Amino acid sequence: MTTKEFYIDCDGIRLHSKLDRPDDSVKGPLCILIHGFTGHMEEDHIIAAQKAMNDCGISVLRAEMYGHGGSDGDFRDHTLYKWVTNALAVVDYAKKLDFVTDLYLCGHSQGGLLTMLIGGMRRDDFKALLPLSPAWMIPEGARIGDLLGMPFDPLHIPEQLVAEDLVLSGDYIRVAQTIHVEDEIARYDGPVFIVHGDDDEAVPYSYGVKAQELYADATLVTIHGDDHCYTRHMDEMADAIRSFFSK
Ligand code: FER
């Protein structure tokens, strides 16, 4: 195993990244792995996913998006457009790595939503998508005025949304309102491997089910009794990923 830590440039924004390779003497597949809202690359479930992929001979590029982890930007100012732009820069970076054969994209929660969007935008580049507990209810929540359990007027967006210790700018909501995930689902016809706990408190399990139904070629692995970050059955989430890559 080798680990490299570096920054990927995205129009002057530095994206903190780590590349973990099981064997750096051979060419092979790479999976880009992205954390969720308020998350980062060292969370237990992100590391568990990374290790499961490494076990299967897959190199993993973890990248932290705008306003998260060790990347540039303030959390308050992050938007899904910024994350989309960041993710496109990470994909460009990955495509230029000379050891990469097949490319995969995986993300948890808001990173899973991002995975679904980028999959539709770059449909020819991925061998498969792996959305983990994908938070693709966010755009609908922004349109109906319900994010983070905080009601707001979707036609008169507040300057900021405050939920406990989190502060989001109104632009987060404005941007999210314009995103139509179904369009990007329809644009991707490759394999999609969804993992979702059916006791998820943050992203309703029904969104995992609905995504599986809407994609042309999707599999849903249900982690029974598990929560948003798989804290009860982390090994089952990792096993699901291993089973996908061992096929
Ligand atoms: C929300 C529910 C979940 C929300 C974001 C999330 C911004 C994201 C969760 C995650 O990425 O882990 O209402 O609003």
Side-chain angles (χ1 to χ4, degrees), residues 8-34:
I8 295 172
D9 173 69
C10 177
D11 302 331
I13 295 293
R14 295 175 317 154
L15 304 175
H16 179 229
S17 306
K18 280 188 184 174
L19 175 62
D20 291 284
R21 297 189 59 193
D23 179 352
D24 68 1
S25 67
V26 291
K27 287 186 189 257
L30 173 82
C31 186
I32 296 167
L33 175 58
I34 297 176

Side-chain angles (χ1 to χ4, degrees), residues 35-39 43 45 68 75 78 80 83 108-113 132-139 141-142 146-150 152 161 166 168 172-173 176 200-204 228-229:
H35 59 81
F37 181 88
T38 72
E43 291 176 291
H45 56 288
H68 287 67
F75 173 82
H78 93 281
L80 290 169
W83 275 36
H108 176 251
S109 197
Q110 184 164 285
L113 162 61
L132 309 177
S133 312
W136 68 285
M137 75 302 168
I138 291 174
D146 179 17
L147 287 176
L148 302 170
M150 299 292 296
F152 58 88
L161 194 65
L166 292 179
L168 275 176
Y172 178 93
I173 302 169
D200 190 326
E201 72 292 357
V203 176
H228 189 52
C229 295

Side-chain angles (χ1 to χ4, degrees), residues 232-245:
R232 301 168 198 152
H233 303 291
M234 193 82 76
D235 49 338
E236 285 184 36
M237 181 274 286
D239 284 347
I241 289 176
R242 269 189 291 266
S243 73
F244 174 77
F245 282 113

